[in-house]
């Protein structure tokens, strides 16, 4: 089968599209150029905004008049946009599968086709000047018409396209029409794990270029002797006679100026140059003045960072200095507009990154809006600048490299890297180019590499060239901690990065601290990039106005990959998740160690380019979670990689737990962060002296009486009733109020998190672990001194299977009304693999929504994701503790808890601790306004309805998070197995707002 369509011809990437070049604008005066506002550039006309729009079911269904005659009856849409997001056609999400039958280069005949119309009043440009129409993004194929005349065509959805329309425009009203196809041959290499959506999704604008003009420029920096920079400039021009190149400091002071002919290479030598780096992203003000036959015709500004990336002895250097990239993979995403991302959303992304210690981005897996690269220069974000390339869908038919190794596709592949490099090579932020993602390996990768190196000397990356036989950087994705350590221990001849890891789907990732230790241990590992930055949820609302976020399958789309696009460290509405908070901590650029015996705090500068002059460490002595003393430590001009010791003696408290909490702050205000913002926190044990138990005043003994199947236990001011058949506490009242709303049950299940999906599919669901049944075998009770002891023996086991756990719950009801609970378990059968937890759950009255605890906080934390949350005394509300993951799942856990209280506004409620006189190992807790089943059943947050009770989970052990939704399994040290266990808790009714007495160890007879 042959095709005569341009949209099914991979050897044709465009028609009449102008050659790629640097992104710049020309201005008429120096003052205008100094604004860097493209809206003030020569002949600039913004065309983003309202366009008439109509969707047709196929390209051939578009009538000629739709491209030649404005139709006022059409709908009006706001460009940039994606038409599916605006309700035209159907949204669909797949991770890697193509949404149509695979027969490259052919696409469906019923290819949805949108036509855009806009009438613009224009005046023909002056003699010799040219009018340029520019699109920064059309997905996936666009034909351009002016007044019914065909201008040209472009492919490469995330790459800019320019057309010279000078000969098509007329004075007065002009109709610009754009015909956009959802699919074309390019779709086969644009399969990048995101929503399938189409349209003019980036800005559209007009520019006027004078007769004597700059058409391209390339500026390069070569650093010698530390701070000496040799900067060269090559230009391409039209009708220019002379050029003047100036470099000025940010305050406008000119530091260099030279005049040169268009065919010359201009060179400027700078002594004591201020070099660009991510910690000090200094930008010089650069201008190129273009002179023609009639004098100066335009001024082109550029904010220039002086940066040179080299590789020496298998290590990358930035301006001669070694560095590491602590990064994320970033897709363009807006929760209301999809990939139609505005500059303010980009800026907010970068501000969040900088505030969370991130210094690098991989532009996965396509070129970004050209302004994004300018912002990265400004903010100090290093880029793995990836082009618009992924053919992952071919993996489903067993040959991911089908077109990557097909010479017929060479033009399409090379075009994509050429257009990216040509447009963005003047940016200091670009550390390396990337040829794309998950497209296999073949002859076209080698051709792309050759083109990239021809155009720019920076390193080139491509992960599927696994041994870097062609490219300059060795790269893997989702390599486990042990693998990364092995790679570090046995380095290759080229630098290495981990281009994707830490899959951030739902609750997680866990294990980042262990990864970071390996990354920091080996200098041949120079970058690591979390997958990924932002959830791809699209905002939607129920009929009654409640918000939820859509993912695959929510639009009747099939096939789909469900919520696999909800895998970011930032929620769709640009709020950091607990995972981002943890990542911020593990990549904190200041390292601390404390030796309590010597009374010495060691501070290490983990930055690469700048000192710690802006750092202030607030070292606070904590006793039982309360601050008792504080001192500031300022390391001053500590050079990168250096350490310094400070005397810091901490007097341990006579009784209680003494901790040193060191909060690390930057005193420097920036455009993206206020002075004294916190950049990290660390905590060190000092001493722990158990408080002696206070003998309780003599109380009357607890008494018990049977009434049918019920055992009633009377205590001071209260009563507890046990069911003598199933062993449940069916009622517990103290001081005239209910203490529990549902009985205490031993449990091994938690609401499923995304990072456990593979364990669920392979281990838990086949064995019915999520639906274990409890069978009570015996209930016995006895008087023991002044206490009543109730012993409940149960079997907890899944249906169908022949394994389970024999448990014994021993309740000791003391005269005061306190209940000490000991829980023991003995497994039987063959299963001994991992389980989500070992603990107990119960419910308390809904009024007890106030939570106070002494343990890790204030945020959510888990065994393998807790370094960002230190031990202290915290307060919160149950409703606020529930993390709003797009897909509801287990959340709200707090680790290393000494005690937790759930209280009403009056202060009464329930306190949970370890019993007095036993091993005081901390426990974990979580509390939700829903049940476990509610959360497991919910697909969106709007499926949840708050209960009149609060579910409380007290866990002896909790399985770590890992990142096995697509990545690392839970590390062995954080695994919980179905094995013998024993733990104890103490439950104490509260009848006072004062917790001080309640948390004091009381010795009862």
């Amino acid at each position: 089968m042959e095709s005569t369509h341009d949209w099914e011809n991979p050897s044709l990437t465009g028609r009449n599209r102008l050659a790629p070049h640097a992104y710049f604008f020309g201005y008429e005066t120096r003052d205008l150029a100094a604004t860097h506002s493209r809206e003030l550039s020569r002949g600039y006309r913004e065309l983003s905004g309202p366009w008439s729009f109509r969707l047709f079911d196929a390209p051939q269904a578009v009538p000629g008049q739709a491209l030649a005659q404005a139709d006022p009856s059409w709908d009006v849409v706001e460009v940039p946009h994606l038409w599916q997001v605006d309700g035209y056609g159907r949204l669909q999400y797949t991770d890697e599968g193509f949404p149509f039958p695979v027969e490259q280069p052919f696409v469906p005949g019923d290819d949805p086709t949108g036509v855009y119309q806009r009438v613009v009043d224009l005046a023909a440009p002056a003699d010799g000047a040219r009018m340029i129409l520019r699109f920064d993004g059309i997905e996936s194929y666009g034909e351009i018409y002016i007044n019914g005349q065909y201008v040209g065509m472009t492919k490469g959805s995330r790459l800019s396209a320019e057309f010279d329309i000078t000969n098509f425009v007329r004075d007065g009203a002009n109709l610009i029409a754009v015909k956009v196809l959802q699919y074309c041959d390019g779709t086969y290499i644009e399969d990048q794990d995101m929503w399938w959506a189409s349209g003019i999704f980036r800005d559209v604008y007009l520019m006027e270029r004078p007769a004597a003009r700059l058409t391209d420029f390339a500026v390069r920096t070569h650093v010698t002797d530390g701070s000496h920079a040799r900067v060269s400039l090559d230009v391409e021009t039209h009708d220019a006679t002379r050029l003047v190149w100036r470099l000025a400091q940010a305050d406008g002071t000119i530091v260099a100026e030279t005049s040169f002919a268009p065919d010359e290479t201009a060179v400027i030598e700078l002594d004591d140059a201020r070099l660009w780096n991510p910690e000090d992203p200094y930008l010089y003000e650069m201008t190129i003045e273009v002179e023609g036959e009639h004098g100066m015709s335009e001024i082109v500004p550029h904010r220039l960072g002086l940066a040179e990336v080299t590789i020496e002895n298998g290590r990358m250097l930035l301006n001669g200095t070694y560095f590491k990239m602590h990064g994320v993979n970033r897709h363009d995403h807006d929760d209301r507009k999809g990939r139609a991302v505005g500059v303010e959303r980009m800026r907010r992304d970068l501000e969040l990154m900088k505030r969370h210690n991130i210094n690098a981005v991989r532009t996965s897996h396509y070129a970004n809006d050209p302004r994004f690269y300018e912002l990265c220069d400004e903010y100090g974000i290093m880029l793995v600048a990836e082009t618009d390339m992924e053919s992952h869908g071919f993996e489903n038919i067993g040959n991911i490299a089908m077109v990557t190794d097909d010479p017929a596709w060479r033009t399409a592949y090379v075009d994509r890297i050429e257009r990216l490099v040509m447009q963005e090579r003047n940016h200091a932020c670009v550390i390396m180019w990337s040829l794309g993602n998950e497209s296999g390996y073949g002859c076209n990768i080698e051709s792309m590499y050759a083109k990239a190196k021809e155009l720019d000397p920076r390193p080139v990356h491509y992960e599927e060239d696994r041994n870097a036989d062609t490219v300059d950087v060795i790269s893997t994705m989702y390599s486990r901690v042990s693998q990364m350590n092995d790679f570090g221990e046995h380095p290759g001849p080229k630098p290495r990065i981990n281009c994707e890891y830490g899959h951030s789907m739902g609750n997680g990732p866990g294990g980042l601290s262990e990864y970071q230790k390996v990354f920091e241990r080996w200098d041949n590992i120079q970058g690591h990039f979390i997958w990924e930055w932002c959830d791809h949820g699209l905002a939607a609302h129920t009929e009654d106005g409640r918000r939820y976020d859509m993912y695959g399958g929510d639009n009747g789309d099939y096939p789909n990959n469900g919520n696999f696009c909800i895998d970011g460290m930032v929620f769709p509405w640009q709020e950091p998740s607990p995972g981002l908070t943890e990542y911020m901590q593990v990549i904190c650029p200041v390292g601390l160690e404390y030796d309590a015996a010597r009374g010495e705090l060691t501070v290490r500068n983990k930055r690469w380019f700048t000192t710690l002059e802006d750092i202030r460490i607030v070292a606070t002595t904590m006793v039982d979670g309360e601050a008792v003393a504080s001192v500031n430590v300022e390391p001053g001009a500590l050079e990168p990689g250096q350490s310094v010791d400070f005397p810091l003696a901490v007097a341990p408290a006579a009784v209680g737990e003494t901790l040193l909490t060191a909060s690390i702050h930057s005193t420097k205000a920036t455009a993206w962060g206020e002075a004294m913002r916190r950049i990290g926190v660390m905590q060190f044990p000092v001493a722990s002296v158990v408080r002696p138990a206070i003998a309780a005043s003599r109380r009357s003994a607890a008494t018990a009486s049977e009434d049918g199947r019920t055992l009633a236990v009377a205590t001071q001011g209260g009563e507890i009733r046990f069911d003598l058949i199933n062993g449940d506490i069916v009622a517990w009242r103290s001081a005239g109020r209910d203490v529990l709303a549902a009985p205490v049950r031993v449990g091994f299940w938690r609401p499923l998190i995304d990072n456990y999906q593979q364990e669920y599919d392979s281990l838990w669901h086949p064995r019915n672990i999520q639906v274990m049944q409890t069978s009570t075998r015996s209930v016995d009770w006895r008087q023991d001194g002044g206490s009543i002891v109730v012993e409940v023996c149960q079997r907890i086991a899944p249906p169908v299977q022949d394994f389970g756990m024999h448990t014994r719950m021993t309740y000791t009801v003391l005269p005061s009304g306190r209940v000490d609970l000991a829980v023991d378990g003995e497994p039987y059968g063959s299963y001994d693999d991992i389980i989500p937890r070992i603990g107990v759950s119960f419910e308390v009255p809904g009024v007890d929504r106030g939570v106070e605890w002494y343990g890790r906080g204030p945020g959510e934390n888990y065994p393998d994701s807790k370094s960002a949350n230190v031990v202290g005394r915290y307060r919160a509300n149950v409703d606020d503790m529930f993390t709003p993951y797009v897909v509801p799942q287990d959340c709200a856990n707090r680790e290393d808890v000494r005690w937790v209280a759930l209280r009403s506004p009056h202060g009464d409620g329930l306190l949970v601790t370890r019993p007095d006189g036993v091993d005081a190992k901390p426990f974990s807790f979580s509390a939700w306004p829903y049940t476990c089943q509610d959360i497991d059943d919910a697909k969106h947050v709007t499926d949840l309805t708050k209960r009149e009770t609060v579910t409380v989970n007290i866990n002896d052990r909790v399985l770590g998070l890992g990142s096995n939704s697509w990545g690392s399994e839970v590390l062995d040290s954080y695994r919980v197995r179905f094995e013998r266990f024993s733990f104890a808790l103490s439950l104490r009714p509260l009848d006072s707002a004062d917790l001080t007495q309640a948390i004091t160890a009381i010795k009862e007879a």
Side-chain angles (χ1 to χ4, degrees), residues 518-535:
V518 170
F519 296 149
E520 293 180 1
R521 183 178 301 143
W522 306 109
D523 65 1
N524 64 309
I525 302 174
Q526 290 200 246
H528 51 95
F529 295 81
I530 290 285
W531 186 267
E532 66 172 310
W533 175 245
C534 186
D535 289 341

Side-chain angles (χ1 to χ4, degrees), residues 53 101 113 123 320 334 355 369 511 717 732 741 794 947:
F53 177 79
T113 301
D334 183 290
R355 293 181 70 92
D369 184 302
W732 183 358
Q794 297 176 322
R947 297 258 179 175

Side-chain angles (χ1 to χ4, degrees), residues 263-279:
D263 59 350
E264 296 176 338
T265 295
V267 175
I268 287 176
E269 305 280 350
L270 290 178
D271 292 320
D272 297 320
R274 188 168 172 181
L275 305 177
W276 185 95
N277 65 67
E279 296 158 15

Side-chain angles (χ1 to χ4, degrees), residues 208-359:
E208 184 177 305
R209 308 294 292 121
R213 58 186 178 270
L214 186 71
T215 58
D216 195 15
F217 74 93
V219 60
R220 290 181 181 171
T221 300
H222 177 56
V223 177
T224 61
D225 300 326
S227 62
H228 180 87
R230 186 176 191 271
V231 190
S232 63
L233 175 67
D234 288 289
V235 300
E236 293 183 9
T237 64
H238 181 275
D239 285 351
T241 58
R242 199 78 184 156
L243 299 101
V244 177
W245 178 29
R246 292 189 182 89
L247 283 183
Q249 295 174 348
D251 63 4
T253 303
I254 295 174
V255 295
E257 178 178 332
T258 187
S259 175
F260 63 104
D263 59 350
E264 296 176 338
T265 295
V267 175
I268 287 176
E269 305 280 350
L270 290 178
D271 292 320
D272 297 320
R274 188 168 172 181
L275 305 177
W276 185 95
N277 65 67
E279 296 158 15
D280 179 27
Y282 186 80
L283 298 174
Y284 286 87
E285 293 290 338
M286 166 180 151
T287 57
I288 304 170
E289 293 186 4
V290 181
E291 298 176 5
E293 182 181 354
H294 303 293
M296 188 183 74
S297 62
E298 67 172 350
I299 302 172
V300 173
H302 176 71
R303 302 187 73 194
L304 176 66
L306 300 180
E308 180 185 33
V309 182
T310 56
I311 297 178
E312 297 180 16
N313 300 318
R315 305 294 179 265
M316 275 189 299
L317 306 177
L318 175 58
N319 296 325
T321 298
Y322 177 87
F323 65 97
K324 287 185 190 284
M325 294 177 283
H326 306 309
V328 292
N329 285 269
R330 178 189 175 274
H331 267 285
D332 277 335
H333 185 72
D334 183 290
D335 60 331
R336 299 185 184 277
K337 302 195 70 176
R339 284 186 295 285
V341 174
V343 70
E344 289 309 312
R345 179 101 183 186
M346 298 178 218
R347 190 178 290 276
R348 168 68 173 159
D349 275 351
L350 295 176
E351 289 173 355
L352 282 172
M353 290 176 192
K354 293 294 287 189
R355 293 181 70 92
H356 287 84
N357 298 328
I358 291 165
N359 69 4

Side-chain angles (χ1 to χ4, degrees), residues 949-962:
T949 59
V950 173
T951 298
V952 182
N953 308 289
I954 307 294
N955 293 316
D956 188 63
R957 283 178 269 172
V958 171
L959 180 65
L961 299 173

Side-chain angles (χ1 to χ4, degrees), residues 555-601:
N555 296 279
D557 48 316
Y558 184 85
N560 69 77
N561 287 103
N563 65 316
F564 203 65
C565 60
I566 308 298
D567 54 359
M569 286 200 149
V570 172
F571 293 121
W573 51 92
Q574 275 190 307
E575 177 185 329
S577 74
L580 181 57
T581 304
E582 178 73 4
Y583 190 44
M584 171 187 176
Q585 176 62 35
V586 301
I587 59 174
C588 176
V590 179
L592 300 178
E593 294 178 3
Y594 183 67
D595 187 322
R598 292 192 303 165
E600 197 168 78
L601 181 71

